[in-house]
Amino acid sequence: MAARGILLASLLFFSCLAVTCYGIVLFSSLPSTLVVTASAKQGQVLKAGEDKIAVTWGLNQSLPAGVDSAYKTINLKLCYAPISQVDRAWRKTVDNLAKDKTCQFLIVSRPYDGSNKAVQSYEGTVERDVPTATYFVRAYAYNSDNVEVAYGQTTDSHKTTDLFQVQAISGRHVSLDIASACFSAFSVVSLIGFFVVEKRRAKQSQRK
Ligand SMILES: *[C@@H]1O[C@H](CO)[C@@H](O)[C@H](O)[C@H]1NC(C)=O
């Protein structure tokens, strides 16, 4: 009886272990086989909900044939650059992809086109819900089980090159508000200045 219990418990334990092991994909274990480029250049500012971004991706042609045999789907994502992750745990990079918060914004999901290996492309507007931050684009390749098997990104491995910015809609309103506040303050000040100058002139002409 006790032996059966132990057997059952260990069976359960190992099957759970197998499931979690299968489920965990580490980013550091993925090969970088995709070459990804974005239209947004280093330092460019894109307005969320307005500006377009074009992305191209393809298999690195210098890799041996068949390296992409398991690729079924490509997801293009907007990912936070390190500078926009500082002090923000909710954007943190974690090697376990299930917990990684680097790439939170899906640009598009496309079936992997193995017949057109050279270059595939997509152009779309930056989604309205993308917050103000510095980004790069990463492409993940998924197999038929929807598990990540490879990637490619527009920046280097240290995520320092070819970073661009997205300006959120709310952020733009804030800066517009600040600009209009500055203008009204300026007009009040100049109006007061105008009256002061006028009064002085009036006094001077009275004295004469
Ligand atoms: C393509 O792969 C080769 C060999 O692994 C590598 O040396 C090269 O840097 C890669 N090219 C790009 C653009 O990633």
Side-chain angles (χ1 to χ4, degrees), residues 26 37 41-42 46 63 79 81 83 117 119 132 149 159 165 192:
L26 300 180
T37 62
K41 296 298 165 223
Q42 170 81 40
L46 299 175
L63 296 173
C79 311
I83 192 170
K117 279 178 191 169
V119 169
T132 297
V149 287
K159 303 185 256 189
Q165 278 150 40
I192 292 170

Side-chain angles (χ1 to χ4, degrees), residues 3 7 9 13 26 53 56-57 74 112 120 124 151 165 169 192 194 207:
L7 187 71
F13 175 74
L26 300 180
I53 183 165
T56 66
W57 68 97
I74 299 287
Y112 180 72
Q120 295 164 60
Y151 81 101
Q165 278 150 40
I169 290 172
I192 292 170
F194 175 77
R207 267 185 220 141

Side-chain angles (χ1 to χ4, degrees), residues 43-142:
Q44 196 176 334
V45 180
L46 299 175
K47 294 189 182 102
E50 264 177 49
D51 289 343
K52 291 197 166 189
I53 183 165
V55 183
T56 66
W57 68 97
L59 191 70
N60 181 336
Q61 295 297 304
S62 49
L63 296 173
V67 77
D68 60 341
S69 54
Y71 300 4
K72 282 285 173 296
T73 318
I74 299 287
N75 278 6
L76 299 177
K77 294 181 171 185
L78 271 183
C79 311
Y80 289 115
I83 192 170
S84 292
Q85 294 176 304
V86 176
D87 294 333
R88 292 175 175 91
W90 64 94
R91 296 178 177 177
K92 210 167 135 199
T93 294
V94 182
D95 201 25
N96 176 358
L97 283 181
K99 295 184 175 159
D100 183 35
K101 301 282 195 298
T102 316
C103 305
Q104 296 187 19
F105 304 97
L106 181 70
I107 300 171
V108 76
S109 179
R110 283 284 164 90
Y112 180 72
D113 185 357
S115 64
N116 179 17
K117 279 178 191 169
V119 169
Q120 295 164 60
S121 62
Y122 170 82
E123 190 185 51
T125 308
V126 179
E127 294 287 341
R128 297 174 65 91
D129 62 346
V130 176
T132 297
T134 303
Y135 296 89
F136 62 92
V137 176
R138 184 179 283 167
Y140 282 109
Y142 297 79

